[in-house]
Amino acid sequence: GDINTNLEETTGSSYKIIPGVDIAKDPKVTVEADSEACWLFVKVEETNWSRFPDANGTAKVFYSVDVQKGWIALNDHPGVYYREVSAEDAKTGVEYDVNCNVTVSQMLTKAEINSIASGTQPQLSFTAYAVQRLGIDDAATAWAAANNP
């Protein structure tokens, strides 16, 4: 199908990890006008991601995607979120906020922050995928059609 998308980060690319201070990330995925109805995916990937678990195993640093904005977590594919884009929205063009929040616990210590070596700062990467909706009845099948494991 003829689907054109664009992914843009709107909140910058460099952040400081400060105990107790959450970090808002707000990438926007656009399905450009004159596209086809589609399954739209965003994959969030972690690089050098340290969770610094506490004594109970709870991560002191973690991210979450605001599913109240219409994104649905794809079962059995951690970090993959999807939504359906109607023919009408695809025809006129539509933009979706991803709204990702990095939560940093107040319990994160200076020593833990200092343990992050230069060049190994934690990163979140966002990638958008779109698969034509026609003939594909569910997101898992669409994700597989995009040649993703």
Side-chain angles (χ1 to χ4, degrees):
D2 188 9
I3 306 165
N4 295 299
T5 62
N6 184 44
L7 175 66
E8 179 182 16
E9 172 63 68
T10 62
T11 58
S13 60
S14 183
Y15 307 88
K16 288 186 178 186
I17 296 176
I18 301 170
V21 177
D22 291 350
I23 302 167
K25 297 195 53 64
D26 190 20
K28 294 185 186 310
V29 181
T30 303
V31 176
E32 296 179 6
D34 297 321
S35 291
E36 301 290 331
C38 62
W39 294 97
L40 184 63
F41 298 90
V42 170
K43 184 175 184 180
V44 183
E45 296 178 279
E46 306 168 354
T47 304
N48 301 324
W49 198 261
S50 299
R51 288 175 175 75
F52 302 109
D54 64 17
N56 297 321
T58 303
K60 293 181 186 176
V61 180
F62 62 91
Y63 77 89
S64 59
V65 170
D66 185 357
V67 294
Q68 293 184 11
K69 293 289 185 177
W71 293 99
I72 302 165
L74 184 61
N75 289 337
D76 301 321
H77 297 280
V80 178
Y81 301 85
Y82 74 93
R83 65 188 318 132
E84 286 186 67
V85 179
S86 70
E88 181 180 313
D89 285 345
K91 186 69 176 164
T92 60
V94 64
E95 181 178 272
Y96 299 103
D97 293 333
V98 177
N99 292 90
C100 181
N101 190 61
V102 177
T103 301
V104 182
S105 168
Q106 291 181 351
M107 303 307 291
L108 187 68
T109 67
K110 182 176 181 179
E112 288 169 327
I113 293 171
N114 289 341
S115 72
I116 300 171
S118 178
T120 61
Q121 289 80 14
Q123 298 177 8
L124 288 179
S125 300
F126 298 82
T127 307
Y129 301 82
V131 177
Q132 185 171 327
R133 174 74 178 83
L134 185 64
I136 299 179
D137 294 329
D138 63 86
T141 302
W143 184 245
N147 294 315
N148 290 296

